[in-house]
Amino acid sequence: GKVFHLAKGYRGRSKNCWVIARNRVEKGLQYQYRDRRTKKRELRSQWIQQIGAASKQMGNLSYSRFIHGVVENGIALDRRTLAELAITEPFSFRAVVDTVQNPPASEVPRVESDPVKSYPVREFPAFADRSSHSIGEVVMAEDQ
């Protein structure tokens, strides 16, 4: 029944011998559970590598200095979005790097979400139409 359905495509007796199929399916489900969490870690690591490479290439900034500048200047883009910008829209990413290197002179309004730490928030008009993220919370939720 269910075990043999899940074991479909396995090699050898793992697909049609009850005891072996059950063991292989149980192990496969354990791997599946573990790797759903590992995937999130690996993707975040990949985004960090992509952002670091792009920030070095475009502004000779290390990853840590770039992310510090992003938070300090109130650029409310998470790592996933920054990595996507670095790959697909290099001119937009260049604008972010330039903003980090040469912050505007005006004072940026700060959002008081954490009593210990307050983050500045600045919205870019070019990204205002992206409704998939709530702009003010992206940076804060990821950096805590």
Side-chain angles (χ1 to χ4, degrees):
K2 191 173 187 180
V3 172
F4 287 125
H5 181 71
L6 290 171
K8 189 174 182 178
Y10 286 5
R11 297 186 63 166
R13 291 192 303 162
S14 295
K15 68 177 170 284
N16 54 15
C17 185
W18 169 253
V19 174
I20 299 171
R22 186 191 64 212
N23 290 340
R24 296 309 311 145
V25 165
E26 283 180 7
K27 194 63 168 177
L29 293 173
Q30 288 173 0
Y31 287 140
Q32 186 182 43
Y33 177 84
R34 177 197 71 189
D35 291 340
R36 278 196 300 270
R37 281 132 190 90
T38 306
K39 183 170 110 176
K40 293 170 182 61
R41 259 178 264 148
E42 290 173 353
L43 281 174
R44 182 179 166 95
S45 175
Q46 184 180 13
W47 297 332
I48 289 171
Q49 289 174 2
Q50 291 168 346
I51 293 167
S55 64
K56 278 187 185 77
Q57 183 180 19
M58 295 197 180
N60 201 15
L61 280 172
S62 68
Y63 168 78
S64 60
R65 291 187 187 280
F66 175 73
I67 289 296
H68 177 74
V70 166
V71 172
E72 287 298 310
N73 286 298
I75 301 169
L77 298 173
D78 59 358
R79 286 166 179 80
R80 180 180 186 172
T81 308
L82 286 168
E84 186 71 26
L85 276 180
I87 294 169
T88 60
E89 300 178 35
F91 292 110
S92 299
F93 189 78
R94 166 80 70 178
V96 174
V97 170
D98 290 343
T99 305
V100 166
Q101 285 182 324
N102 306 312
S106 66
E107 182 60 31
V108 180
R110 295 186 173 265
V111 174
E112 296 291 335
S113 63
D114 188 2
V116 178
K117 200 173 195 181
S118 62
Y119 294 90
V121 174
R122 177 180 294 119
E123 293 185 16
F124 286 100
F127 305 117
D129 62 335
R130 294 189 183 190
S131 58
S132 62
H133 295 341
S134 61
I135 298 292
E137 298 172 6
V138 175
V139 174
M140 292 176 279
E142 189 167 311
D143 286 341
Q144 288 184 351

